Amino acid sequence: MDKHRLWSRDAVAAAILDGDTLIVFRDHLLKIPDKWLNAHPGGNLALLHFVGRDATDEVEAYHLDDTLKLVPRYSVGRVVNSTEHPWKPFLPPIMAGWVRKRDAQGNPYWFREAHEHRPRNNATSSSPASEVLLVPNNSSPSPEKGPTLATITPPASDLSPAVQARHSKAYKELHKRITEAGLYSTRYITGYGPEILRYTFFACASVYAYWHQWFKTSALFLGLLWHQLVFSAHDLGHMGVTHNWAIDRIIAIIIADFIGGLSIGWWVNNHNVHHLVTNHPTHDPDIQHIPFFAISTNFFSSLWSSYYKRTMVFDRFAKFLISMQHKLYYIIMAFARFNLYANSYIFLYQKAFDTRRARGGTWAFRLEIVGLIFFWNWYLRVLYNTGSWQNAIVYLLISNIVPSPLHVQIVLSHFSMSTTDLGPTESFPHRQLRTTSDVICPESLAFIHGGLHLQVTHHLFPRLPRHNLRQASLLVKEYCEEQGLAYNEFGFIEGNKDVLGVLRNVAEQVKIVGKVAKAEVVEAVEKSIDGMVKEN
């Protein structure tokens, strides 16, 4: 294989349409073999969403230096890609509804799992021509054998490739500044030291209260422990603690599975996709909450989820709930942890029948199963020993509802931000800054948010140790000022008002759509009656 071959854009397109997974990294053209695509620790979607695109910033943001040294091994040649002549991206097949599958004999073929929905002639500021959403493939089998050049050619974008390339170049320089400032060094003593003391206090307080049969108090402190532990599990999932995949994953499994009853494997798979396609209605699982929530009227079209591989049906039940979502928001959020259990176990069930697990996936999967068995063994004993089913239910609810502010905190940084798809021309930093915001918080109260109120910086540098985000955010703000980009931040109360405002606006649109539909039905009936009268 000629690694010095200079690939033309047409040649890259032809190879993609032939089924190759090609990604641009710096000026290398990487060909990801199926074996690694299915074993990638970040999940295959993290790669499929960048087929035909320049993923340099994303790859460098998510991988250690030692890993980056291995990336050129997958190079099959070069492409022209520089600030002066940036790579012109394709629309990845998965973003157009096409995926690769294998038949009974193991032969790969193209499968259309969804249809594209493009605004084209009726484009608006909230639904630009660059937007590509997916709707269910409900039609009969198509004679198409696979995507075409037109399929992977992205719609026109209002973004300037030159400006996006400039943002990307400046982002690389910012990344270098943050690295040289030593901000990737974990603060074990000053950062995690106080947190470990806090965890220990909550755990001991819960045990002490339980020993004295103060069950409500015990459940309260257990919930506080779970709330705080999630932040460390988050860091470990990003390899942001020891920066060693195996060590971080083992510690994460102990925290998430053994102590919390949740799958870290599910969370990492889900969270990586969220980071890479933030706030995209069709691709980001973190905003796909039909039938309970919709933060965009695009969800009224019963969109297809490329992550969950199902239709987000906007039926009567969804319309009813979403029409009141701003009123039900905090009530539903109070029980959000139960949804995490469900997603965790569904994910692990599916993985049990999937032999294509990620690097280290076999032992990690088995350890997670052991961890969940351990969790339910001790937690069910705790519930049983409260003495009555009434006490058990109260303990169950309190311990699981107390961590609910975590869910409000996290969605605060995204629910009120843009859900518009600006196309593959958009650079990594531009996309993250447009779809993410910070929550302004005094340093003395940062532990309540786990330090993750600084979501903008975290989304730009996901592996950055959480306790260094505040210092890094100062450099990010300088970057934004230099590049003329907005750095979004608001207070906790203001942010909640914004989120409720978005939910209320979408709820009102549901009611308007319902009134319009009702009026159209009435009009149709009246016309039908008039027609019958005239005939008679």
Side-chain angles (χ1 to χ4, degrees):
M1 186 176 297
D2 183 8
K3 291 193 175 186
H4 298 288
R5 172 189 174 186
L6 184 64
W7 286 65
S8 67
R9 193 166 182 276
D10 289 343
V12 173
I16 291 173
L17 295 175
D18 197 40
D20 288 344
T21 303
L22 300 179
I23 297 173
V24 175
F25 173 69
R26 297 173 183 167
D27 64 343
H28 286 277
L29 183 66
L30 309 180
K31 181 179 179 180
I32 312 300
D34 288 346
K35 183 178 180 180
W36 181 241
L37 181 66
N38 295 321
H40 183 239
N44 64 354
L45 287 176
L47 296 169
L48 293 177
H49 279 304
F50 290 90
V51 171
R53 298 171 60 183
D54 178 4
T56 305
D57 292 339
E58 287 85 352
V59 171
E60 292 182 343
Y62 283 85
H63 297 85
L64 301 171
D65 288 341
D66 290 343
T67 304
L68 292 177
K69 294 175 183 176
L70 304 177
V71 172
R73 292 184 179 182
Y74 297 103
S75 176
V76 292
R78 304 271 179 163
V79 294
V80 175
N81 186 34
S82 65
T83 305
E84 296 75 22
H85 302 285
W87 172 256
K88 186 179 179 181
F90 289 102
L91 183 71
I94 193 168
M95 288 187 165
W98 289 93
V99 295
R100 298 284 284 176
K101 289 193 172 186
R102 291 185 178 276
D103 59 22
Q105 289 71 43
N107 300 312
Y109 67 95
W110 283 109
F111 174 76
R112 189 166 202 170
E113 65 178 9
H115 280 284
E116 304 167 67
H117 173 68
R118 305 191 185 194
R120 298 193 183 280
N121 297 329
N122 57 340
T124 63
S125 58
S126 60
S127 184
S130 58
E131 187 167 73
V132 178
L133 302 176
L134 297 180
V135 292
N137 183 17
N138 296 323
S139 59
S140 56
S142 170
E144 300 173 279
K145 294 183 178 180
T148 64
L149 180 59
T151 306
I152 63 173
T153 299
S157 172
D158 292 333
L159 296 176
S160 165
V163 172
Q164 296 303 306
R166 189 188 73 214
H167 292 331
S168 180
K169 179 182 179 182
Y171 168 77
K172 292 179 177 64
E173 295 170 354
L174 171 63
H175 199 169
K176 184 178 180 181
R177 289 176 63 193
I178 284 178
T179 302
E180 291 176 346
L183 296 181
Y184 272 103
S185 298
T186 303
R187 292 161 51 189
Y188 292 108
I189 304 300
T190 59
Y192 285 105
E195 292 202 2
I196 292 174
L197 292 176
R198 193 179 305 122
Y199 302 157
T200 303
F201 170 74
F202 288 149
C204 291
S206 181
V207 172
Y208 181 81
Y210 192 89
W211 182 262
H212 287 80
Q213 297 188 350
W214 305 333
F215 297 129
K216 294 178 182 178
T217 304
S218 173
L220 169 68
F221 280 109
L222 178 59
L224 291 174
L225 174 65
W226 283 345
H227 176 272
Q228 289 291 299
L229 278 175
V230 165
F231 298 125
S232 289
H234 169 275
D235 301 346
L236 292 157
H238 278 295
M239 291 190 299
V241 181
T242 70
H243 309 293
N244 178 288
W245 186 88
I247 296 175
D248 277 4
R249 182 53 59 92
I250 290 173
I251 301 174
I253 291 175
I254 292 173
I255 291 176
D257 296 76
F258 281 75
I259 301 176
L262 302 174
S263 166
I264 192 65
W266 160 75
W267 180 84
V268 169
N269 185 279
N270 177 288
H271 198 64
N272 280 337
V273 177
H274 159 67
H275 266 266
L276 293 168
V277 287
T278 310
N279 270 22
H280 194 298
T282 286
H283 306 299
D284 181 2
D286 274 14
I287 65 167
Q288 296 174 345
H289 300 299
I290 298 291
F292 299 104
F293 298 128
I295 62 173
S296 167
T297 55
N298 280 323
F299 288 106
F300 295 178
S301 300
S302 291
L303 299 178
W304 172 263
S305 168
S306 64
Y307 179 83
Y308 290 112
K309 302 300 181 186
R310 62 174 173 79
T311 303
M312 296 175 281
V313 182
F314 187 67
D315 54 15
R316 288 186 177 181
F317 182 59
K319 291 177 184 177
F320 171 72
L321 288 179
I322 292 171
S323 68
M324 299 190 299
Q325 62 180 356
H326 53 299
K327 298 177 182 179
L328 299 173
Y329 175 62
Y330 293 109
I331 296 174
I332 293 175
M333 280 300 196
F335 296 91
R337 188 175 177 87
F338 293 102
N339 185 54
L340 302 188
Y341 291 130
N343 284 330
S344 292
Y345 306 151
I346 290 172
F347 175 82
L348 291 175
Y349 174 79
Q350 292 171 341
K351 282 295 177 184
F353 300 96
D354 186 0
T355 58
R356 306 169 300 177
R357 298 192 190 119
R359 180 190 65 175
T362 300
W363 67 258
F365 172 81
R366 291 174 179 171
L367 187 58
E368 285 208 72
I369 298 301
V370 171
L372 293 177
I373 293 173
F374 177 86
F375 168 80
W376 285 108
N377 181 60
W378 73 259
Y379 188 54
L380 288 176
R381 283 174 177 269
V382 166
L383 297 178
Y384 179 78
N385 289 328
T386 56
S388 70
W389 66 266
Q390 294 95 332
N391 286 341
I393 290 177
V394 170
Y395 197 102
L396 174 74
L397 291 177
I398 292 177
S399 59
N400 282 281
I401 290 176
V402 167
S404 64
L406 167 72
H407 309 292
V408 175
Q409 292 167 332
I410 297 302
V411 303
L412 209 57
S413 294
H414 298 294
F415 267 29
S416 62
M417 302 303 292
S418 172
T419 58
T420 304
D421 175 19
L422 297 186
T425 299
E426 186 175 26
S427 67
F428 172 68
H430 189 278
R431 182 169 60 255
Q432 300 305 329
L433 289 163
R434 180 176 60 84
T435 58
T436 310
S437 64
D438 280 357
V439 178
I440 299 171
C441 172
E443 194 165 0
S444 59
L445 297 178
F447 75 93
I448 297 177
H449 294 271
L452 291 178
H453 56 293
L454 298 169
Q455 279 285 301
V456 172
T457 302
H458 170 60
H459 264 252
L460 288 171
F461 304 101
R463 291 185 297 105
L464 205 64
R466 178 163 41 92
H467 305 101
N468 297 335
L469 289 176
R470 183 176 292 275
Q471 188 176 346
S473 69
L474 301 178
L475 298 177
V476 173
K477 288 181 178 179
E478 291 179 9
Y479 163 83
C480 290
E481 187 174 350
E482 293 168 358
Q483 295 298 310
L485 295 168
Y487 187 106
N488 298 289
E489 56 183 349
F490 41 61
F492 184 76
I493 295 177
E494 179 189 353
N496 273 272
K497 288 181 179 178
D498 286 349
V499 169
L500 289 175
V502 169
L503 295 176
R504 185 181 297 106
N505 288 338
V506 175
E508 290 173 353
Q509 290 298 315
V510 173
K511 295 176 182 178
I512 291 173
V513 169
K515 290 179 180 178
V516 171
K518 184 177 181 180
E520 289 177 347
V521 170
V522 171
E523 184 181 358
V525 172
E526 290 177 346
K527 286 183 178 180
S528 178
I529 292 175
D530 288 343
M532 294 172 63
V533 170
K534 289 178 181 179
E535 289 179 3
N536 294 329

